[in-house]
Amino acid sequence: MTIDGRLARGERTRTVVLDAAVALATEAGLHGLSLGQLADTLGVSKSGLFAHWRSKEALQLATVDRAVEQWQEWIIEPALHAPRGVRRIRALHEARIDFYAARVLPGGCFFANTEFEFNARPGPVRDRLVDAYGRWTLFLERLVHEAVALGELPADLDVPQLAYEIDALGISAVMRSRMLDPDTAYRQARQGLLNRLRALCPEPTLLTEGLS
């Protein structure tokens, strides 16, 4: 029990530290993230963090993995409670916009920021990010394919194109919200997807204004 308790406390501590790393990376960048910088932010010793991550790169990779976990917890899992089809697609987009609107991360979006930061930086961190982006894209496409199979979207739909448009609306929303009026950015992103799905869906009653 004592050992299990230590492990549980260690895992909680690790999660708290990585949550701080994700947040810090949205403001100061992932490339510049270091054990020393994180220790200063948290007010802890660098040696204590070094016990978990032996290098700056190890910390950066763990930070990417934690950002993926946050995305799963805040955006993907809530959306999966919605019925398959266009309602689940919309629920996913709404959860994403809600995540941004709640200002969970001080710099907006970890993935939108790191996509620009690492698009010309080869190496393991970029590879880990590319894998995360790829899995997100495949997930979007899977939800669209499900809607097509249910007859809620046209059989001849260009699935990758719609997945791209959904993601682009999210990226645009978070980027515009940082420089312009956030309420307008979020409202337009929500309405943009709703309009797109309504134009494609043969059963518009599935896409009422409010989410059930």
Side-chain angles (χ1 to χ4, degrees):
M1 292 295 294
T2 303
I3 294 175
D4 289 346
R6 285 201 303 267
L7 289 173
R9 287 193 298 274
E11 187 58 35
R12 285 196 297 271
T13 299
R14 188 176 187 275
T15 299
V16 168
V17 172
L18 288 177
D19 282 345
V22 172
L24 189 61
T26 66
E27 291 185 300
L30 181 61
H31 180 68
L33 184 66
S34 67
L35 292 168
Q37 180 189 41
L38 187 57
D40 289 343
T41 299
L42 293 170
V44 300
S45 68
K46 182 178 176 180
S47 60
L49 298 181
F50 189 73
H52 290 280
W53 304 283
R54 294 287 180 168
S55 67
K56 171 180 172 177
E57 184 176 274
L59 173 63
Q60 291 171 327
L61 291 171
T63 300
V64 174
D65 291 343
R66 179 56 189 153
V68 170
E69 291 173 357
Q70 286 184 347
W71 197 262
Q72 180 77 25
E73 294 163 6
W74 284 81
I75 297 169
I76 293 177
E77 289 179 5
L80 293 178
H81 292 293
R84 292 174 184 265
V86 292
R87 286 170 291 183
R88 183 170 292 181
I89 295 171
R90 187 184 176 202
L92 182 75
H93 186 64
E94 291 285 332
R96 182 179 186 177
I97 300 303
D98 288 343
F99 178 74
Y100 295 150
R103 301 277 174 159
V104 176
L105 298 176
C109 179
F110 177 88
F111 294 104
N113 292 352
T114 53
E115 181 176 357
F116 289 107
E117 185 184 2
F118 276 84
N119 60 11
R121 294 182 187 272
V125 177
R126 182 182 186 277
D127 293 344
R128 189 70 58 89
L129 288 166
V130 168
D131 177 69
Y133 299 142
R135 285 185 284 126
W136 168 244
T137 299
L138 289 175
F139 179 73
L140 285 172
E141 291 179 1
R142 191 190 92 191
L143 295 195
V144 176
H145 276 297
E146 289 175 354
V148 172
L150 289 168
E152 295 180 5
L153 291 175
D156 61 351
L157 179 70
D158 186 337
V159 170
Q161 178 63 34
L162 182 57
Y164 172 86
E165 292 172 17
I166 296 167
D167 191 42
L169 282 167
I171 292 173
S172 178
V174 72
M175 291 302 186
R176 291 174 69 87
S177 73
R178 312 305 297 184
M179 303 298 291
L180 303 173
D181 177 55
D183 291 338
T184 299
Y186 299 142
R187 185 184 70 252
Q188 290 176 334
R190 296 181 199 275
Q191 192 64 46
L193 181 65
L194 185 59
N195 292 347
R196 186 77 171 100
L197 293 178
R198 280 177 171 168
L200 293 168
C201 183
E203 294 291 339
T205 56
L206 295 175
L207 294 162
T208 56
E209 284 293 340
L211 286 171
S212 58

